[in-house]
Amino acid sequence: MAHQISQYLSVRQVYFPSFTSDSRRIAFLTDITGVPQVWEVSVPEDQPEPLWPDQRTFEADRVMGVWCSPAPGDARIVCARDAGGNENAQLFLLSPGEGEERRLTGGHDTAKHIFGEWSHDGSRILFAANRRNRGRFDLYLQELEDAARLVWQHDEPGALTRQTFSPDERRVAVVRESSSFRHDLFEIDLATGAGRALAPSAEDARYHDVVYAADGRSLYVTTDQGSDFLHIARLDLETLRLEPMVTPDWDVEIATRSPDGRMLAYTVNENGLSKLYRLDLESGTSRPAPPFDTSPGVVGYFDARLDFSADSRRLAFSYTSAMRASDIFIWDLEANSVSRITRTSHAGLTADQFVPPELIHYPTFDGREIPAWYFRPRSTGAERLPAVISVHGGPEGQFVPYFNFLVQYLIENGYAVLAPNVRGSTGYGKAYSHLDDVEKRMDSVADLAHAARWLQGRTEIDSSRLVVYGGSYGGFMVLAALTAYPELWAAGVDIVGISNLRTFLENTSDYRRAHREAEYGSLARDREFLESIAPINHVDKLRAPLMVIHGANDPRVPLSEAEQLVAALKQRNVPVECLVFDDEGHGIVKLKNKLVTFPAIIDFLRKHL
């Protein structure tokens, strides 16, 4: 007997680990209450089984991040929370012993705050915010018992991320993300507010994780400067010479330095699967983590975070696979063993009910082979299967084998699912990710059409029952596929998607516009092209029934993108169903809304397939 979608929606995720200063507890996020909140659990040395954690936050809105104070004896925690999905993250100080919560960013409700780091003594924090100008971010330093102080006023577009103190806390390294693939690295003198560029380069390059060496004379960075892949390099702060250190033929995705300065922990994305390593900085040798799960998966899918204990003996991380929801694990670096410290609920579902994907490659229009993950029921029977093509967002994203409740539900109910990483996806090198830039945008949609044709050639698939499903940029891909290749599809599902790249760029949040123009095209130069490929301008070609889902508070893809699309389809009598949630933003986060959204999607598919 098939399970209800509500049971799959009850599977929980645990992620974003942060060690307390005494290394005896870990704070983390989980949606066990239906909305991500801060919880904390003990990790005693002799405890063989996970303990039940303590809940620390209790609000109706999600918590987006959690960071424990590093100061000895200080149990306080900083967390970030927005309101109704608006992404204007506010910072709060939690004092678990007293059960108190204090807002640190009061009076700035309409600003977005990006947490950086605690000071070593726990007296102050770094963060960036667009308080002064909604399209620009500045750097702030806040004494926790005082107001925030502006330390670097910045007048160029781009979020300021990866803010980190130098060992003497007189300087700060920070990354400006001008676009997805154009990052700039700066160092700020906190006494004078003077900033200097650290990695000038004529080429576009990314700088992901950034951390000072223990002596403060260099930075360890993950970057793709001079390479097709993200790798670990050492940047000498006097000569500004960049020296590669770890250079796999895949992206290094997450990296962090141990508090004792002796090692780096990092992950490598090998064809969508994570490999976890530690690098001894003295010898330059890397050592992989021991095997800890039988199902290949992803480290840090929900949080992109590795966290060392204060004594540098242990490393905490989250891990998920297609067969298991995300949990927190600890790598004991001295014993070289990995243990799980949380035990996610699979809502009564057992691992043998879940289906792992097969990594396949299918040919596209120019002879290129497109990587994709293919899920299909273990037993297909005589009847041919309907299939859902699931398109990731981004576009600089990648579908990887994490636990996806909807995919597993669809498989149990007789659907095949194909998740392609079309051109423009990350994880396959910088050159691949640029193959869909601006005027090449529709080439990625052609890759999607060839995914459908690959499915049509499978003997187990009913080629008349293909669905295209996606959210955010994936929603644009859904709409573009339905209008450019209408003969392929029986139905489409668009969640917080873009119906016109021009109106999207005009109406998205100020701080995101320049970031997105670099990928999609400029309003000043490419307006005519953006209009020419806008799905809303081709709705007369759309044949398949469509379901549209959106959050009213979406700061990335405004609700108007859905509203104009639905109005145009209704005017032409195209079957369309629409759900709008007043307390959601860019995606459906709250369980009460998921319990409306996903049963409605299933009913929609049953009705039209």
Side-chain angles (χ1 to χ4, degrees):
M1 181 177 176
H3 297 87
Q4 297 295 313
I5 183 68
S6 58
Q7 189 167 358
Y8 279 85
L9 281 164
S10 296
V11 176
R12 299 293 179 247
Q13 306 287 358
V14 181
Y15 56 100
F16 216 111
S18 180
F19 272 106
T20 56
S21 60
D22 61 6
S23 303
R24 295 179 179 177
R25 294 178 69 82
I26 284 184
F28 57 87
L29 301 183
T30 179
D31 57 353
I32 193 171
T33 62
V35 180
Q37 298 293 322
V38 178
W39 291 66
E40 197 176 298
V41 68
S42 296
V43 284
E45 300 283 348
D46 58 352
Q47 184 65 37
E49 291 291 325
L51 298 173
W52 184 255
D54 299 311
Q55 189 174 355
R56 298 305 190 198
T57 59
F58 305 87
E59 299 301 318
D61 284 306
R62 63 179 173 180
V63 177
M64 305 166 75
V66 55
W67 303 270
C68 293
S69 168
D74 188 355
R76 293 177 301 171
I77 299 169
V78 167
C79 72
R81 185 168 60 234
D82 69 352
N86 65 8
E87 298 188 9
N88 290 329
Q90 305 296 309
L91 302 180
F92 296 82
L93 183 66
L94 310 179
S95 299
E98 291 77 37
E100 295 179 355
E101 176 181 292
R102 177 164 63 90
R103 184 172 169 182
L104 297 173
T105 52
H108 301 281
D109 294 19
T110 59
K112 177 183 177 72
H113 298 82
I114 304 171
F115 182 81
E117 197 170 65
W118 282 85
S119 64
H120 295 114
D121 65 1
S123 66
R124 54 187 182 163
I125 60 170
L126 275 172
F127 66 86
N130 57 347
R131 294 178 174 183
R132 182 179 55 87
N133 181 324
R134 293 295 173 262
R136 303 290 185 269
F137 282 84
D138 301 318
L139 185 65
Y140 291 84
L141 185 65
Q142 179 159 0
E143 302 286 343
L144 293 182
E145 303 305 323
D146 203 350
R149 176 170 64 91
L150 175 63
V151 295
W152 190 46
Q153 181 171 310
H154 188 62
D155 292 316
E156 296 296 325
L160 299 181
T161 64
R162 282 92 179 181
Q163 316 133 40
T164 183
F165 284 111
S166 63
D168 61 9
E169 297 187 356
R170 296 178 180 178
R171 296 164 290 150
V172 171
V174 62
V175 173
R176 179 183 68 203
E177 297 184 1
S178 301
S179 71
S180 298
F181 293 93
R182 177 69 191 188
H183 297 176
D184 297 289
L185 183 59
F186 296 91
E187 187 177 51
I188 315 304
D189 185 306
L190 290 177
T192 65
R196 63 167 180 147
L198 294 180
S201 172
E203 67 171 304
D204 285 356
R206 291 174 287 174
Y207 297 92
H208 278 197
D209 294 294
V210 176
V211 63
Y212 280 89
D215 61 8
R217 296 177 181 175
S218 59
L219 287 171
Y220 300 115
V221 300
T222 55
T223 182
D224 56 7
Q225 183 173 321
S227 171
D228 198 32
F229 292 98
L230 289 163
H231 59 279
I232 299 176
R234 176 183 173 273
L235 177 68
D236 186 293
L237 290 173
E238 181 178 354
T239 66
L240 300 187
R241 180 174 176 268
L242 195 66
E243 175 191 1
M245 298 172 62
V246 178
T247 57
D249 290 331
W250 298 99
D251 279 342
V252 174
E253 289 202 313
I254 318 171
T256 191
R257 196 205 73 190
S258 61
D260 64 11
R262 296 172 54 194
M263 69 186 111
L264 296 177
Y266 65 95
T267 65
V268 178
N269 172 354
E270 295 187 12
N271 235 340
L273 299 173
S274 292
K275 299 294 177 64
L276 176 62
Y277 299 87
R278 64 170 175 176
L279 169 67
D280 184 292
L281 291 171
E282 183 176 353
S283 67
T285 58
S286 288
R287 180 178 184 178
F292 58 89
D293 196 272
T294 57
S295 54
V298 188
V299 171
Y301 175 79
F302 295 98
D303 52 37
R305 180 172 176 81
L306 305 171
D307 195 58
F308 278 101
S309 59
D311 57 13
S312 301
R313 291 175 48 208
R314 292 180 289 186
L315 180 77
F317 58 94
S318 66
Y319 180 82
T320 178
S321 75
M323 309 288 284
R324 67 147 54 250
S326 182
D327 266 312
I328 304 296
F329 290 74
I330 290 181
W331 182 3
D332 185 319
L333 298 164
E334 293 183 349
N336 196 34
S337 62
V338 176
S339 58
R340 179 163 53 126
I341 67 156
T342 63
R343 196 167 295 279
T344 302
S345 168
H346 285 96
L349 302 166
T350 58
D352 59 5
Q353 295 171 248
F354 306 141
V355 174
E358 174 190 359
L359 178 62
I360 64 99
H361 293 78
Y362 65 87
T364 189
F365 66 93
D366 59 359
R368 193 178 301 273
E369 294 284 319
I370 303 298
W373 295 94
Y374 183 46
F375 300 79
R376 62 171 177 166
R378 287 192 173 95
S379 177
T380 59
E383 184 179 354
R384 289 193 169 191
L385 306 174
V388 175
I389 295 182
S390 179
V391 196
H392 68 70
E396 61 290 338
Q398 181 187 25
F399 186 94
V400 294
Y402 71 103
F403 186 83
N404 185 309
F405 73 90
L406 182 60
V407 167
Q408 295 296 336
Y409 178 82
L410 290 170
I411 294 167
E412 183 183 349
N413 284 270
Y415 293 80
V417 178
L418 182 66
N421 286 310
V422 298
R423 69 190 65 211
S425 302
T426 49
Y428 307 97
K430 187 161 52 176
Y432 188 81
S433 64
H434 284 306
L435 289 175
D436 66 341
D437 287 356
V438 193
E439 73 279 357
K440 296 176 283 188
R441 179 66 44 207
M442 296 304 288
D443 287 352
S444 61
V445 184
D447 289 344
L448 200 55
H450 280 266
R453 290 167 184 151
W454 181 84
L455 282 170
Q456 289 176 332
R458 304 284 298 186
T459 57
E460 72 271 18
I461 299 299
D462 181 347
S463 61
S464 69
R465 294 192 291 165
L466 300 186
V467 178
V468 60
Y469 173 103
S472 187
Y473 174 76
F476 167 83
M477 291 287 283
V478 166
L479 301 176
L482 290 173
T483 52
Y485 301 94
E487 72 283 358
L488 294 175
W489 312 105
V493 180
D494 158 32
I495 302 177
V496 298
I498 302 167
S499 60
N500 186 329
L501 288 169
R502 175 190 62 82
T503 56
F504 157 73
L505 289 171
E506 289 175 341
N507 297 312
T508 192
S509 297
D510 291 345
Y511 64 87
R512 292 182 56 81
R513 186 168 300 110
H515 183 89
R516 282 291 154 223
E517 282 188 320
E519 178 80 23
Y520 298 138
S522 163
L523 285 171
R525 297 187 304 273
D526 304 299
R527 183 178 294 263
E528 184 176 346
F529 171 74
L530 295 174
E531 286 284 4
S532 73
I533 66 169
I536 197 169
N537 293 332
H538 300 280
V539 290
D540 56 312
K541 301 172 185 174
L542 195 150
R543 304 175 190 170
L546 178 65
M547 186 165 201
V548 178
I549 299 161
H550 221 100
N553 303 319
D554 193 336
R556 303 189 187 196
V557 180
L559 177 60
S560 55
E561 290 298 303
E563 291 173 330
Q564 65 188 9
L565 173 67
V566 170
L569 292 174
K570 286 183 175 180
Q571 187 177 10
R572 291 163 176 79
N573 295 316
V574 176
V576 60
E577 297 180 25
C578 182
L579 288 174
V580 175
F581 294 93
D582 291 337
D583 57 347
E584 295 282 8
H586 194 62
I588 309 303
V589 173
K590 298 176 179 177
L591 179 60
K592 68 182 182 68
N593 296 330
K594 290 179 179 180
L595 287 167
V596 175
T597 298
F598 292 100
I601 291 173
I602 298 305
D603 288 344
F604 172 81
L605 295 181
R606 285 174 178 157
K607 178 166 60 176
H608 294 291
L609 298 187

